[in-house]
Amino acid sequence: MKKICLILMMSIFLVGSTNVGGFFTENTINDITKDAPISIRSEVGDGHDFDPLVDIEVTVDIISIRALDDIDFRNNPDFFVKIFINSEEFSSPIWDDSPCLYDIHWIAAANVPDDIEHVDITIELYDKTMFGERLCDVSKEPNTKTQGYTAVIRYNIKTGHWTGDDSLDDASGYGRLNGCDDGSINNNERDCEIWFTISQTDLDGDTIPYWTEVYTYGTNPEFNNTGEDLDSDLLPIEWEYKWMYPPNIWDDHTHLDIDDDSLTNVEEYRMSSTGSDPYRRDIYLEIDIMADGPLGKNSSISPHSKELLRTAFDRRNVVFHLDDGCMGGGGEVIPFDRKTYLPELRTIYNTYFLHNDSENWRRSVFRYAMIIYHHYATSGVSYVGEHPRLYWHVQGINTFVISAESMHKTSRKLFKHIDQVFAGVIMHELGHTFGIDFMFPVGCDNTRTYRPRNLGFWLFSNYKSCMNYRYVFTILDYSDGSHGLFDYDDWSNLDFSFFEKKHFSHPRK
């Protein structure tokens, strides 16, 4: 019966219209429901069968999980997930002893009625403890003792999109839940993040549901349109569909940057395999390290340091992407050098980051970090990669270098774990690439905040930021400006375009 309906419908659609690569003219789209017989319109247009080609199955794919709070003070959490699809319950295995889980791809799938537009989905995250199951917070709703922890989502089988506790333009991003979104970022409510996606059965495999293809786009639901750019705006139909851009209307994706993270839609698409979202801010950092030297001189940073950084940014819905070799650019090994000087820094930058291409596209997407053994003058400094002498509040600061030798000395001197030391300095130097710098605000990089005997140590004590020298190794966060006199709201004043190469002169005097 479904196949017969499809043949009748396609016959009606093709009368008086031109079909090129599965795309129908705009006039045909407007006339589809008007000219179709009543029996066929009720079959798909009025809620009786939203896809006559297949029996619809809705799939929830849990991709990754991260603890944003200390979930279990004794041990790492033992996570597991429960998913309800139209009240049908699915439980995942228990993932033991890990606060961060990547590429899980645990799937819950349920057959749903083809004639009901909406599917109700609930996602719950638990920590399995010796005392039982404890619900973790992945909802943006305020918490009570029993409510506000789970995510309730309504999926639409007509459009393949969803709303509710996760939606296209919410702060945490589409397909990402963040328990801190309820305003509990300064409280431990077992906040976590979950990355997921929802899909449904689709005959032609282009991820665009039948109803959307026929009634909105005018494309052929039996023709896989993946990779097509129907409006010649440089982005393919499947990307524009996911992010709700009309695929048959030209958009200026080369310049569009809805979330103001200085990544245009073309760049967001280029990085889409890494989880980039055009409606939520993303930052990308490439890190290269120096080879081990004699007597075990080591310049590497641990996986734990990297996770600390991801958590610090992700809690604030600024998703941190680190290329240490996983994205095709970072993780290169710089030959060992006992002491590195300015000319060598420029050579490393050109060779290992730009790869001797001054127009390398990564310059406008990634910030760049070098972990070397010993810098000739300092433990760490941020600067314009092309011009290492330009380092103080200069538009274009995109690079920083950190001395591993200095980090290890600091760790021993202050009795701080080396992972915390590295993470604190990296986040501090990243702050300079956002325009937070010496005297902007006045508590940043102020050498008078180092020691209790200095007035600045007490005067700027409310500036609870790793940009304050007092807190570099103790607070892995930027300040939100809520702590009183002489505090500063770093998070609201991050300039995501500051690292872009525009000009090399001091913008402010």
Side-chain angles (χ1 to χ4, degrees):
M1 176 61 185
K2 289 187 175 184
K3 191 67 174 179
I4 293 172
C5 289
L6 175 67
I7 293 171
L8 288 172
M9 291 189 328
M10 294 303 295
S11 298
I12 292 169
F13 297 161
L14 290 171
V15 173
S17 67
T18 302
N19 181 296
V20 180
F23 180 67
F24 295 97
T25 66
E26 185 175 352
N27 289 335
T28 305
I29 297 171
N30 294 334
D31 292 340
I32 282 175
T33 54
K34 175 172 66 70
D35 293 342
I38 293 175
S39 61
I40 295 177
R41 274 188 281 144
S42 65
E43 181 77 23
V44 273
D46 294 333
H48 288 80
D49 191 339
F50 291 108
D51 190 339
L53 299 179
V54 297
D55 192 23
I56 298 176
E57 183 178 78
V58 169
T59 299
V60 180
D61 182 0
I62 300 297
I63 301 169
S64 65
I65 300 171
R66 173 180 298 276
L68 301 177
D69 284 333
D70 291 326
I71 304 301
D72 190 331
F73 292 106
R74 300 172 183 84
N75 304 289
N76 284 325
D78 300 323
F79 284 130
F80 70 96
V81 174
K82 288 183 182 179
I83 291 177
F84 299 84
I85 304 177
N86 281 347
S87 300
E88 184 175 352
E89 181 176 343
F90 303 84
S91 292
S92 76
I94 297 173
W95 296 289
D96 292 327
D97 195 37
S98 180
C100 309
L101 298 163
Y102 294 101
D103 297 321
I104 305 168
H105 290 292
W106 176 74
I107 287 174
N111 190 278
V112 301
D114 293 11
D115 58 350
I116 298 178
E117 180 175 349
H118 294 108
V119 177
D120 293 321
I121 297 171
T122 301
I123 300 176
E124 299 177 348
L125 177 65
Y126 290 86
D127 174 31
K128 180 73 171 180
T129 74
M130 61 186 297
F131 304 107
E133 302 172 356
R134 296 200 309 170
L135 198 58
C136 299
D137 185 8
V138 295
S139 173
K140 62 184 179 182
E141 300 301 323
N143 292 354
T144 65
K145 288 186 177 181
T146 58
Q147 295 180 328
Y149 289 84
T150 65
V152 179
I153 294 168
R154 171 158 279 199
Y155 179 79
N156 190 314
I157 64 174
K158 288 169 58 176
T159 66
H161 290 98
W162 59 88
T163 55
D165 284 336
D166 183 66
S167 57
L168 186 70
D169 58 352
D170 68 13
S172 60
Y174 198 42
R176 177 176 175 264
L177 302 170
N178 181 353
C180 294
D181 285 353
D182 58 7
S184 63
I185 195 164
N186 295 317
N187 304 316
N188 191 332
E189 295 183 347
R190 299 190 299 279
D191 292 322
C192 296
E193 69 174 348
I194 293 182
W195 293 72
F196 70 98
T197 189
I198 308 174
S199 60
Q200 69 188 69
T201 315
D202 181 45
L203 180 71
D204 59 7
D206 60 10
T207 73
I208 307 172
Y210 172 92
W211 195 94
T212 296
E213 292 223 52
V214 171
Y215 290 104
T216 304
Y217 291 173
T219 50
N220 185 340
E222 290 191 288
F223 181 90
N224 190 324
N225 299 96
T226 301
E228 291 186 358
D229 182 11
L230 304 178
D231 49 11
S232 301
D233 60 6
L234 302 180
L235 296 186
I237 187 173
E238 66 273 14
W239 190 91
E240 293 195 288
Y241 157 72
K242 178 177 181 179
W243 302 110
M244 293 191 188
Y245 285 94
N248 50 4
I249 299 176
W250 185 89
D251 288 291
D252 188 10
H253 293 304
T254 303
H255 297 100
L256 277 173
D257 179 19
I258 302 299
D259 55 5
D260 291 324
D261 62 0
S262 201
L263 299 177
T264 67
N265 281 358
V266 169
E267 292 168 333
E268 300 269 12
Y269 167 67
R270 182 189 282 271
M271 304 308 298
S272 57
S273 64
T274 67
S276 180
D277 185 326
Y279 294 98
R280 180 214 60 229
R281 296 177 297 176
D282 299 90
I283 62 168
Y284 286 85
L285 175 66
E286 176 181 328
I287 289 186
D288 290 328
I289 63 173
M290 187 164 279
D292 291 351
L295 304 177
K297 296 180 174 66
N298 185 282
S299 300
S300 63
I301 59 175
S302 73
H304 185 233
S305 285
K306 301 170 187 178
E307 297 302 342
L308 289 172
L309 286 162
R310 290 188 179 102
T311 299
F313 281 99
D314 285 13
R315 296 173 80 240
R316 300 283 184 170
N317 289 325
V318 179
V319 172
F320 180 75
H321 306 269
L322 177 63
D323 185 2
D324 55 2
C326 60
M327 301 178 195
E332 295 184 86
V333 179
I334 304 164
F336 179 78
D337 187 0
R338 189 175 298 275
K339 185 178 290 188
T340 307
Y341 293 88
L342 276 181
E344 295 164 312
L345 293 177
R346 181 181 292 182
T347 299
I348 293 170
Y349 174 84
N350 287 329
T351 303
Y352 292 91
F353 180 55
L354 295 183
H355 291 275
N356 298 311
D357 176 9
S358 62
E359 300 301 319
N360 192 314
W361 64 269
R362 294 176 72 91
R363 178 60 174 85
S364 62
V365 174
F366 284 84
R367 293 152 174 89
Y368 181 57
M370 293 174 264
I371 312 298
I372 62 173
Y373 175 66
H374 180 80
H375 187 277
Y376 76 98
T378 184
S379 59
V381 62
S382 299
Y383 55 91
V384 177
E386 292 83 0
H387 303 276
R389 294 185 183 279
L390 297 179
Y391 59 87
W392 175 62
H393 210 75
V394 181
Q395 176 76 40
I397 290 178
N398 69 322
T399 300
F400 58 90
V401 59
I402 293 174
S403 166
E405 179 190 45
S406 178
M407 297 302 100
H408 285 279
K409 286 182 177 178
T410 298
S411 174
R412 292 190 296 268
K413 180 179 178 180
L414 299 180
F415 301 101
K416 297 290 183 181
H417 196 284
I418 187 63
D419 294 348
Q420 178 74 25
V421 171
F422 262 117
V425 174
I426 290 172
M427 192 165 185
H428 177 94
E429 298 300 338
L430 271 172
H432 295 323
T433 73
F434 292 110
I436 307 298
D437 211 334
F438 175 60
M439 296 302 294
F440 301 102
V442 291
C444 175
D445 279 12
N446 190 324
T447 58
R448 296 295 182 179
T449 63
Y450 270 128
R451 298 174 180 85
R453 67 170 181 262
N454 297 132
L455 177 62
F457 182 89
W458 305 103
L459 191 62
F460 299 107
S461 61
N462 285 335
Y463 182 34
K464 309 289 189 181
S465 172
C466 65
M467 304 308 295
N468 182 343
Y469 281 149
R470 175 176 174 173
Y471 300 122
V472 172
F473 307 113
T474 56
I475 297 179
L476 191 62
D477 201 356
Y478 301 131
S479 184
D480 60 7
S482 64
H483 305 103
L485 185 65
F486 294 121
D487 193 9
Y488 181 76
D489 188 352
D490 294 329
W491 284 108
S492 296
N493 288 284
L494 297 181
D495 181 352
F496 282 77
S497 67
F498 195 76
F499 81 109
E500 297 273 11
K501 183 173 66 174
K502 294 179 181 177
H503 57 82
F504 301 119
S505 61
H506 289 269
R508 293 192 248 180
K509 296 294 185 182

